[in-house]
Amino acid sequence: MFNNKTGRDAGFTAPPSPPSGGAANGKRGMFSVLGADVAITGNIRASADLHIDGHVEGDVDASNIVQGAESRITGNLRAETARITGTIEGKVVVRQLVIERTARITGDIDYETITIENGATLDGHLRHKSPGTLKVAEPETLVARAPDQLLLKSDAA
């Protein structure tokens, strides 16, 4: 309709290339999405931003997290920034946290800055941490225990 191309190239426009340079870690513009139809049993660690609309049974560790309203996380959440609109059952450790009105959190929350909208449900302790004292990214050493299990080195002792 708008061009004279036919066949498989008709109407196809390639997505723009990601910008080069810019971010110090080279991750600018990168994100991952777990759709509403996705259910994961196990821990998630992402170096990019993470948007979760599905269900996760396990710990979630990412730079920036956005959780959809129908999403459920059963496990701990750790991030630099997070916007929570769904359900979390577990400890939350986030530097900059926004809890929207549809959020339901059962568990303790450690934060540096927090915004809580009217209507959000929290069942746990809120602990304010001074800037620079909150340990969001803790390196973990993994030790192989069995082919299907990994154990934190600190737990092995």
Side-chain angles (χ1 to χ4, degrees):
M1 179 172 164
F2 297 106
N3 59 33
N4 292 331
K5 293 182 180 179
T6 58
R8 70 181 194 135
D9 290 335
F12 175 77
T13 303
S17 300
S20 59
N25 63 2
K27 303 283 188 229
R28 183 175 182 203
M30 290 183 59
F31 66 93
S32 296
V33 177
L34 299 177
D37 63 331
V38 176
I40 294 179
T41 301
N43 297 336
I44 298 172
R45 175 170 278 166
S47 58
D49 298 348
L50 183 60
H51 185 105
I52 300 173
D53 282 325
H55 299 282
V56 177
E57 285 189 37
D59 296 343
V60 178
D61 185 357
S63 175
N64 302 300
I65 296 175
V66 175
Q67 182 193 27
E70 300 300 317
S71 173
R72 172 180 289 279
I73 297 171
T74 305
N76 300 323
L77 180 120
R78 183 179 294 272
E80 290 291 323
T81 65
R83 177 173 298 274
I84 307 302
T85 61
T87 301
I88 297 178
E89 295 176 12
K91 185 173 183 176
V92 176
V93 179
V94 177
R95 286 194 202 285
Q96 296 178 7
L97 179 60
V98 176
I99 303 172
E100 295 190 2
R101 63 182 172 82
T102 57
R104 306 289 179 256
I105 300 175
T106 303
D108 294 343
I109 301 171
D110 292 353
Y111 66 92
E112 286 183 5
T113 62
I114 191 169
T115 302
I116 305 172
E117 289 186 357
N118 260 350
T121 302
L122 306 176
D123 186 9
H125 294 93
L126 295 174
R127 285 192 280 279
H128 176 259
K129 302 293 184 175
S130 299
T133 62
L134 189 64
K135 294 181 182 177
V136 174
E138 295 180 306
E140 299 173 331
T141 304
L142 298 176
V143 176
R145 180 178 231 187
D148 62 339
Q149 294 180 336
L150 291 176
L151 181 67
L152 295 177
K153 187 174 184 180
S154 61
D155 293 341

